[in-house]
Amino acid sequence: MSLWRPAATALAILLLAGPALAEECPKGKVRGGKGEWVLALSWQPAWCETQSGDRRARPECLLDYRGTEGLTLHGLWPQWGEYCQSDLCGRDRCALPPVPGVASEDLVSVMPGALSRLDRHEWAKHGTCSGLAPRAYFRTATELVRAARASRLGRLLGERMGARVKRGELCDAFGRDFGEDRRGALSFDLEKRGRDLYLAEVRVRMVGDVPGWDKASIPVGRQGDCMRPDDREFLVDRSGFQTGQTPNEVRPICR
């Protein structure tokens, strides 16, 4: 199965499934200063692997990810606020309007979660605080994903799909691109299922009015996971489930 073939069909049936849960509105919570960002990159096969119930049958979880395609956009998060367009706060993604000027199908190659309206959620929660217009926000995020896939870190993940990797190997790959003093900007979200520890997400702290995948945007002196003394090993999951049964039909989240 290719990454693209199911997209049109999946988008066409998005209106057939049930509602998603809404989030609580923030209460003045600010996590960082102006110009600080987090780029959150899912390892898509593992995200799907570690879901339960109908979540495993979302459209993006029935796609076949090859190599670096597994590294996908979760979000680009400005650290100074959330839900800056207040009328979007407290609404589940099924009730959110389309992102102005942005077609979900144009994002699927880097953000397959757009098949389940992740783009609407990410724009409402994070993009509205970015200071960027919708098209510029997603264009920036798209460029960051493509650059991450082409980096030493991205290529290493693609090469190890279906195998194990040590955290130190990923940190070393990142350091070779950006310098040892910037490895602290990198962190990993891990999920344990049974005996396996999965890489679920890669997160990179960035700075700038508009972040980029370059040394100028990667800060020094951060205390990320690469600064830990232990060197954990985890699985870089492949497409198709290794636990449980692979769903054989799409079950979109909205109807």
Side-chain angles (χ1 to χ4, degrees):
M1 185 190 306
S2 75
L3 185 60
W4 284 97
R5 287 174 188 167
T9 300
L11 283 168
I13 60 177
L14 274 173
L15 300 178
L16 300 179
L21 296 177
E23 290 190 67
E24 291 186 5
C25 296
K27 298 178 180 178
K29 179 181 178 184
V30 177
R31 295 169 298 189
K34 190 73 172 176
E36 295 183 18
W37 307 76
V38 170
L39 173 65
L41 299 167
S42 294
W43 186 255
Q44 195 68 39
W47 186 91
C48 293
E49 170 76 31
T50 56
Q51 299 304 298
S52 60
D54 284 354
R55 284 174 175 259
R56 284 191 169 196
R58 287 186 178 186
E60 62 269 31
C61 291
L62 272 65
L63 302 179
D64 186 19
Y65 299 92
R66 306 289 179 87
T68 60
E69 288 179 348
L71 199 61
T72 66
L73 177 64
H74 178 175
L76 178 60
W77 304 336
Q79 296 295 284
W80 55 89
E82 295 178 349
Y83 290 108
C84 292
Q85 188 175 329
S86 60
D87 64 309
L88 299 178
C89 187
R91 297 166 65 174
D92 66 57
R93 69 176 66 181
C94 295
L96 288 171
V99 182
V102 177
S104 295
E105 55 267 30
D106 292 341
L107 297 173
V108 172
S109 65
V110 296
M111 189 187 213
L115 294 170
S116 296
R117 301 192 182 184
L118 178 60
D119 56 327
R120 301 187 188 194
H121 167 75
E122 289 298 312
W123 171 252
K125 186 173 182 179
H126 302 289
T128 55
C129 298
S130 68
L132 300 173
R135 292 182 67 179
Y137 173 77
F138 281 107
R139 182 174 64 248
T140 298
T142 295
E143 290 171 353
L144 290 172
V145 174
R146 290 174 176 162
R149 288 174 173 176
S151 71
R152 287 183 173 92
L153 173 65
R155 296 198 305 271
L156 178 58
L157 288 172
E159 292 165 2
R160 294 293 183 86
M161 179 177 272
R164 299 182 183 279
V165 67
K166 288 188 175 181
R167 179 168 56 208
E169 294 179 85
L170 298 176
C171 294
D172 288 346
F174 188 81
R176 289 178 65 190
D177 278 338
F178 300 109
E180 293 297 307
D181 57 345
R182 291 175 168 84
R183 299 195 325 163
L186 189 64
S187 60
F188 307 101
D189 184 21
L190 307 177
E191 292 283 347
K192 187 172 179 61
R193 287 294 184 274
R195 297 181 179 180
D196 281 317
L197 188 64
Y198 292 86
L199 173 65
E201 192 157 281
V202 177
R203 296 182 181 178
V204 185
R205 299 194 69 88
M206 296 180 166
V207 295
D209 293 336
V210 180
W213 192 265
D214 54 66
K215 285 187 176 181
S217 294
I218 309 297
V220 299
R222 297 292 186 180
Q223 296 299 312
D225 288 345
C226 291
M227 314 309 290
R228 296 177 182 269
D230 61 311
D231 193 9
R232 303 188 79 173
E233 185 177 70
F234 35 82
L235 182 66
V236 183
D237 201 19
R238 59 174 175 78
S239 292
F241 299 115
Q242 297 168 353
T243 60
Q245 184 176 359
T246 302
N248 56 18
E249 63 179 18
V250 173
R251 298 175 191 169
I253 67 167
C254 301
R255 62 175 161 208

